[in-house]
Amino acid sequence: MKNLLNRRTIRKYADRDVEKDLLDRLMTEASRTQTMGNLQLYSVVVTRSATMKQKLAPAHFNQPMVTEAPVVLTVCADFNRTSFWARCRKAEPGYDNFLSFMNAATDALLYTQTLCNLMDEEGLGYCFLGTTVYQPQLIIDALKLPKLTMPVATLTVGWPAEEPPLSDRLPLESFVHQEEYHDYMGMDIDKYYYEKEHLTENQHFVRINHKETLAQVFTDIRYTRQDNEAMSKELVMALIRQGFLPYNVIRAGGLH
């Protein structure tokens, strides 16, 4: 798709509504994406009200686009609906486990990406918020998500009010392996990351963060071990509360 080559993350939106009919059509079309067992193991919570956006904002570290975008979409891995359907039809579901969460999360993320592609074609702008899984309990509480329902993706959506530059990408040979995985050597890293590390904006990024390398910015500031471990614990606890993991996983995994 030509649009994918020009895809930009949009964080600033025009003062213009995203019509319900348009969004409904795109979400319906996106449901044709791949899904495990044709079960469509996802749900989407559409947020338009300012009050609800304010409730969601802390879960996303109060990034301004959460409250400024006309629409916020929270895409959830959902085995609640399927389990309830099974019980209503004299069937006993067995989906309160981690494998079921992974299947539902995969379904939800496939749906999310398909929806993003459709919004690109329509001229809508959006921002995928990776923060969804950092503090999931805040989202669960705000949206009143039942057991076996877990937020995995958030999109802020609106008509673009900016045209930011395209972000860089690693070359194809850096992530495609023929026949089997071929581990990397130092010379490979030098080659594959040369352009990224020598971009003016990335070199500036290193300087203002008082680091020697771009990698240090990511490991020491943006995505630290301490933060990753703390948010991993929060994610596991949310999965336990939502019924996708047993409580004894806390002790087994050393989470005290």
Side-chain angles (χ1 to χ4, degrees), residues 32-232:
R32 298 305 306 169
T33 198
Q34 305 94 320
T35 171
M36 193 198 81
N38 200 28
L39 290 173
Q40 294 180 248
L41 303 171
Y42 49 81
S43 285
V44 184
V45 180
V46 180
T47 302
R48 291 180 180 272
S49 78
T51 299
M52 286 304 299
K53 290 174 192 173
Q54 288 290 347
K55 288 184 178 180
L56 288 171
H60 301 291
F61 301 99
N62 294 303
Q63 296 177 84
M65 58 273 195
V66 176
T67 53
E68 294 173 0
V71 181
V72 177
L73 303 178
T74 305
V75 186
C76 303
D78 186 350
F79 247 119
N80 172 62
R81 183 184 63 251
T82 302
S83 296
F84 188 58
W85 168 64
R87 292 192 180 96
C88 287
R89 297 296 180 266
K90 301 179 182 179
E92 187 55 37
Y95 307 123
D96 53 345
N97 46 66
F98 187 64
L99 178 62
S100 296
F101 166 70
M102 289 298 298
N103 287 331
T106 300
D107 261 24
L109 292 172
L110 284 169
Y111 177 86
T112 302
Q113 185 57 63
T114 300
L115 180 59
C116 287
N117 293 347
L118 292 170
M119 291 193 296
D120 278 326
E121 291 181 350
E122 203 67 39
L124 284 165
Y126 58 86
C127 180
F128 181 99
L129 303 184
T131 46
T132 305
V133 294
Y134 290 178
Q135 302 179 91
Q137 195 61 48
L138 296 179
I139 300 173
I140 292 166
D141 293 342
L143 301 181
K144 299 181 180 179
L145 301 182
K147 290 279 187 77
L148 298 185
T149 309
M150 187 76 180
V152 294
T154 299
L155 299 172
T156 59
V157 182
W159 299 101
E162 63 172 346
E163 189 174 353
L166 292 174
S167 53
D168 64 280
R169 290 293 186 266
L170 293 173
L172 181 71
E173 59 268 29
S174 71
F175 58 85
V176 173
H177 303 256
Q178 302 297 337
E179 307 299 341
E180 60 183 27
Y181 191 101
H182 299 278
D183 209 352
Y184 301 94
M185 300 177 65
M187 66 178 68
D188 299 321
I189 298 300
D190 291 343
K191 175 183 176 182
Y192 298 149
Y193 284 83
Y194 182 87
E195 183 175 347
K196 178 185 287 288
E197 292 176 334
H198 287 80
L199 287 172
T200 301
E201 57 267 34
N202 284 341
Q203 291 182 335
H204 175 68
F205 199 32
V206 173
R207 286 195 300 273
I208 64 174
N209 284 286
H210 309 291
K211 295 295 178 181
E212 292 182 59
T213 69
L214 183 63
Q216 289 175 350
V217 176
F218 285 88
T219 60
D220 299 352
I221 297 175
R222 295 197 67 184
Y223 307 110
T224 69
R225 176 184 292 277
Q226 181 179 2
D227 288 344
N228 286 337
E229 290 178 349
M231 288 185 287
S232 292

